[in-house]
Amino acid sequence: QVQLVESGGGLVQAGDSLRLSCAASGRTFSRYAMGWLRQAPGKEREFVAAISWSADNTYYGDFVKGRFTISRDVAKNTVYLQMNSLKPEDTAIYYCAADLGIGPITGYYTGSHIDYWGQGTQVTVSS
């Protein structure tokens, strides 16, 4: 059974940092692009960051503006999202995603297909 399990979310204050982790199991994701999307209350799910299977290329949503860094450890089948300078508007459920192509992750829109999703981890940033 394929699983993506996120961890590392929590309640922090504006300006703080968090590191999210996504551990993949059930298969090898070394050839999969992986990424993070988020959904705030009352809003559509949106792209946050993605990393190619080789880790040579990374992509970020426009709102990130240098605050977040995505990375992956292929040996551990794990992807990370380091989030710095958090803002209250970053409050959302953060979902890990994996797909054979990076396009479905970076170009995600409501209802589009991504091969695998995690269950999500809540990030709350207080002002």
Side-chain angles (χ1 to χ4, degrees):
Q1 181 180 0
V2 174
Q3 279 191 313
L4 300 179
V5 179
E6 302 96 335
S7 61
L11 172 63
V12 297
Q13 294 186 331
D16 286 351
S17 299
L18 276 176
R19 189 175 85 150
L20 305 183
S21 299
C22 171
S25 62
R27 68 166 300 140
T28 299
F29 282 84
S30 60
R31 292 291 181 173
Y32 277 72
M34 297 188 73
W36 295 90
L37 297 95
R38 70 183 187 182
Q39 188 163 17
K43 295 188 176 181
E44 302 290 325
R45 194 169 297 189
E46 64 177 350
F47 166 67
V48 177
I51 187 166
S52 62
W53 68 266
S54 63
D56 287 344
N57 297 295
T58 56
Y59 306 84
Y60 297 93
D62 291 340
F63 62 87
V64 170
K65 299 187 186 300
R67 299 182 297 128
F68 298 176
T69 302
I70 190 170
S71 61
R72 68 189 297 170
D73 185 328
V74 174
K76 294 183 178 179
N77 243 5
T78 300
V79 64
Y80 305 97
L81 184 68
Q82 177 67 44
M83 303 188 294
N84 299 327
S85 302
L86 283 162
K87 304 175 182 180
E89 50 264 44
D90 293 319
T91 295
I93 298 175
Y94 284 70
Y95 296 92
C96 180
D99 198 280
L100 280 173
I102 203 158
I105 299 175
T106 60
Y108 178 80
Y109 57 90
T110 300
S112 65
H113 174 77
I114 287 179
D115 290 339
Y116 300 104
W117 287 99
Q119 291 300 306
T121 185
Q122 177 70 47
V123 171
T124 303
V125 185
S126 64
S127 57

